[in-house]
Amino acid sequence: MAMIQVTNLKKSFGNLDVLKSVTFDVEKNDVVAVIGPSGSGKSTMLRSLVHLEQINGGSIAVQDRFLVKDGSYSSPQEIKRITGKMGMVFQHFNLFPHLTVLENLEIAPRVVKGEAAADIRRKSMELLEKVGLSAKADVFPAKLSGGQKQRVAIARALMMNPDIMLFDEPTSALDPELTGEVLQVIKQLALEHMTMIVVTHEMGFAKEVANKVMFMDHGEVIESGTPEQLFNNPQHDRTKAFLNRVI
């Protein structure tokens, strides 16, 4: 079953075409790594899936329900229902600085879903254990390292029980020594068969964890395939040139 179907996605900022007819599918349990140079449209594509960017043309379907079809968006209620299936983790964490780690995790299930306090607390502690931060439950974000903040952000996204996780350059704001602890959490999610799209500049991670790799450049999907195909036998000159620069 296709979890996400994107067809002829187009997005412009003024005269700049950021996305040019982008088409791809994500199947259940896929881990899709999206690679490419800065400015290639990777983050814009990802943000459009959760309606943080409004597209100018094309279609996005999530679990066979259209977020947008041929450039026309569904109702606000349907958009909310569809985007609620996805959890998003950003490059710069976006934690609430005035809330503790635990409060950051628990605010959305309480306010948005109205879940019972005892259920929320049990789940938040389970997720903090999962990301190795049980001891930081009552700490404010300012007291955390970048890697710890990003692990809290992942746990916060998981609190909403998403079917799909989206990661936008989750390690690019981190020092190299902190990158591994965040990638380890994402690897664990992959082992648990979470469907994921990860925009990343970590080629080693893409090779090791993803089952599909998509190379974007100048707003287009230039090439996609398994890590073995894309890294060992790229077909397009632009893919080859990019990989020669970064590997």
Side-chain angles (χ1 to χ4, degrees):
M1 171 189 171
M3 297 290 275
I4 298 175
Q5 293 171 294
V6 173
T7 310
N8 297 328
L9 202 63
K10 297 179 176 68
K11 171 68 180 178
S12 301
F13 293 113
N15 294 324
L16 178 64
D17 294 330
V18 181
L19 298 176
K20 306 169 188 172
S21 199
V22 169
T23 297
F24 65 91
D25 290 351
V26 179
E27 301 295 322
K28 187 174 175 62
N29 303 332
D30 272 351
V31 179
V32 181
V34 185
I35 64 171
S38 297
S40 58
K42 305 184 301 296
S43 292
T44 301
M45 177 277 294
L46 200 69
R47 290 168 62 86
S48 71
L49 299 181
V50 286
H51 201 227
L52 291 174
E53 296 285 358
Q54 188 149 337
I55 64 163
N56 302 118
S59 302
I60 299 169
V62 179
Q63 296 175 322
D64 293 331
R65 299 185 76 113
F66 280 100
L67 176 73
V68 54
K69 186 174 184 180
D70 298 326
S72 296
Y73 277 90
S74 296
S75 68
Q77 295 89 343
E78 181 72 349
I79 289 171
K80 184 177 179 181
R81 196 198 70 78
I82 292 170
T83 56
K85 299 284 188 182
M86 294 175 278
M88 179 112 180
V89 176
F90 299 90
Q91 180 177 344
H92 292 293
F93 327 128
N94 291 8
L95 299 178
F96 296 112
H98 63 291
L99 300 180
T100 66
V101 165
L102 205 57
E103 290 166 342
N104 264 282
L105 263 64
E106 295 182 352
I107 186 170
R110 187 178 71 248
V111 173
V112 178
K113 289 192 167 184
E115 294 178 5
D119 293 338
I120 293 172
R121 179 56 48 91
R122 183 177 64 253
K123 185 171 184 188
S124 62
M125 293 309 296
E126 285 174 0
L127 284 171
L128 286 179
E129 177 75 26
K130 182 186 187 78
V131 300
L133 291 172
S134 298
K136 301 292 185 181
D138 298 318
V139 170
F140 287 92
K143 299 291 187 182
L144 301 177
S145 71
Q148 289 170 334
K149 289 176 185 175
Q150 194 61 294
R151 284 185 281 154
V152 171
I154 294 171
R156 181 176 64 176
L158 292 171
M159 284 292 292
M160 299 298 281
N161 295 317
D163 295 327
I164 302 159
M165 284 287 285
L166 309 177
F167 294 88
D168 187 11
E169 302 263 15
T171 61
S172 64
L174 303 179
D175 294 332
E177 65 268 23
L178 299 177
T179 294
E181 65 191 50
V182 174
L183 293 181
Q184 193 57 48
V185 173
I186 301 174
K187 288 177 188 178
Q188 183 58 42
L189 292 175
L191 290 173
E192 295 167 7
H193 307 295
M194 172 65 79
T195 304
M196 295 188 280
I197 305 177
V198 186
V199 171
T200 184
H201 62 279
E202 297 286 342
M203 298 301 133
F205 170 82
K207 286 182 183 179
E208 180 186 352
V209 179
N211 68 308
K212 293 180 182 176
V213 181
M214 193 161 77
F215 170 65
M216 290 184 68
D217 193 16
H218 295 298
E220 300 174 292
V221 177
I222 304 300
E223 189 170 348
S224 61
T226 66
E228 293 78 13
Q229 290 167 339
L230 203 107
F231 287 108
N232 298 335
N233 190 28
Q235 299 299 301
H236 200 288
D237 287 344
R238 277 152 78 180
T239 315
K240 293 174 186 175
F242 173 76
L243 292 175
N244 284 337
R245 285 199 306 274
V246 300
I247 294 179

